[in-house]
Amino acid sequence: MRFEPALRQGVLVRRYKRFLADVETSNGCEMTIHCANTGAMTGCADPGSRIWYSTSANLRRKYRHSLEIVEDADGHLVGVNTARANGLVVEALSAGILPGFAGVSLLRREVAIPGESGRFDLLVDDVFVEVKSVTLRLADGGAFPDAVSVRATRHVDALARLARSRLGAALVFCVLHNGIDRVRPADEIDPDYGRALRRAADAGVRVLALRCRVTVYGIEPTGLLPVCS
């Protein structure tokens, strides 16, 4: 996934109201840009951090610029635009990076969850796939979620229900932080999610972590990371 047009660099002033960020551009001006990330963004929303933002060609957008990358306190680049995750997983499927998905013949996005309201991110052949972005880096690796998420727990419970019914179900953690080398549930933040994830894995849900290399030129899926329970 390449950034076209090229990203522009700035400095984060503040992130607020979940979807907005104020940044100082390279010429010293301050402006408000869109932040497509509903999480807490712990460790990647510190004022004064170097950031990179994209520019939309759509002149009708209220906020034409979007926050894409933040450099954390240790110098690691973090992709904070969670809207990129599904596309990166699709790229990984095309490249044959994700095990168990060889020779994909059908791929649909935003598919209804069977038997209940809501949608999963992907249907890959006969496997329902939910994608979650991982940007939280703790002392022992990456963790999800970075804030209590009832929605994420509901989705993983739905995957478990499908797996118990002998339907294909998978969860892919899309790791958008160059400093993360493994992923685990963030039990200290959302213990309900951790319990749900373990139940889902026991029920037969495939749980994978996709490593992505984040650069200011683009983001590339490169392989798998271990998922620790």
Side-chain angles (χ1 to χ4, degrees), residues 93-170:
L93 288 166
S94 298
I97 293 173
L98 297 177
F101 292 99
V104 173
S105 58
L106 171 69
L107 191 150
R108 292 170 51 199
R109 298 177 185 250
E110 293 292 320
V111 293
I113 298 175
E116 62 182 82
S117 62
R119 293 182 177 276
F120 286 131
D121 291 307
L122 301 169
L123 177 63
V124 183
D125 290 332
D126 58 351
V127 180
F128 292 91
V129 180
E130 183 66 9
V131 178
K132 298 299 182 188
S133 300
V134 179
T135 60
L136 175 62
R137 178 173 174 254
L138 301 176
D140 59 345
F144 181 90
D146 66 357
V148 174
S149 178
V150 174
R151 181 174 180 270
T153 300
R154 183 171 62 83
H155 280 164
V156 79
D157 280 339
L159 288 171
R161 176 176 59 80
L162 295 181
R164 294 188 193 100
S165 300
R166 300 294 187 267
L167 296 176

Side-chain angles (χ1 to χ4, degrees), residues 41-114:
M41 290 179 61
T42 304
C44 48
D46 298 333
S49 300
R50 282 205 303 171
I51 63 95
W52 287 262
Y53 60 92
S54 59
T55 302
S56 171
N58 184 358
L59 300 178
R60 303 179 67 179
R61 274 185 50 173
K62 182 176 181 180
Y63 300 105
R64 287 188 59 209
H65 307 292
S66 296
L67 185 62
E68 297 285 353
I69 296 173
V70 175
E71 183 180 66
D72 75 0
D74 294 318
H76 298 297
L77 297 186
V78 186
V80 296
N81 186 345
T82 56
R84 303 284 186 184
N86 288 2
L88 289 164
V89 170
V90 171
E91 285 189 23
L93 288 166
S94 298
I97 293 173
L98 297 177
F101 292 99
V104 173
S105 58
L106 171 69
L107 191 150
R108 292 170 51 199
R109 298 177 185 250
E110 293 292 320
V111 293
I113 298 175

